[in-house]
Amino acid sequence: MSTVHRVRAVRLTEGGEGGELLSAPGGYAVAVSGSRITAIGPYERVHAEAGEHARVREWDGVLTPGRYEPDAAAYLEAAYHPDPREAAEYGTEPLTGAALAAVEMTDTRWGHSARRGVQRLLAAGTTALSGPFARAAVRTAVERSGIRVLPPGARPGALTVSGPADFAVFADDGGALVTVLDGRLVFRRR
């Protein structure tokens, strides 16, 4: 079954304000089937192409290829992302430097930290990042998340028909409303 993501506008290329903003009266849309984009265009046309049985999701924002995080290795391997149950002891922000050195870090703890770090990245609209990741537990957490790992220096491609359904929708405040990887909704702002 197809899903049509209806938004105010679509920006085909990554990079915030750079790149053409596509919009139309009635909104713009991206249709997804499985893990691929099947249509991009004005909502009425995309919805008609997708068919009456398509699921329609409406987001009040701009759909883009999402954020790219070139420093993911440092973010996930040189910082501890505390469990919410540890907030009283460690706070809620990532720990680095002396604060990180004071925490007994096992492979299991690195894996859990990386999973929470990836969730923070997804919540920020990140759809691709760069490694490499030296810690096996971190590599495993990243692989299981489904987020695209690009070689250093590479950038995510533009949104295209038949391309991967990896994108994010951003609100006027710059925050991500939703992040989609391989056609799956992996983050939704409450």
Side-chain angles (χ1 to χ4, degrees), residues 76-144:
L76 298 174
E77 293 190 320
Y80 175 62
H81 301 270
D83 186 298
R85 296 170 292 191
E86 300 172 315
E89 184 176 359
Y90 298 124
T92 58
E93 294 301 311
L95 304 178
T96 59
L100 173 61
V103 179
E104 183 181 340
M105 295 301 292
T106 63
D107 283 342
T108 300
R109 197 170 219 173
W110 275 116
H112 292 307
S113 170
R115 183 180 47 75
R116 290 186 294 272
V118 167
Q119 287 299 315
R120 283 178 180 242
L121 290 170
L122 295 173
T126 304
T127 56
L129 48 78
S130 286
F133 301 100
R135 298 181 193 281
V138 173
R139 263 193 318 276
T140 299
V142 170
E143 288 168 3
R144 287 182 178 168

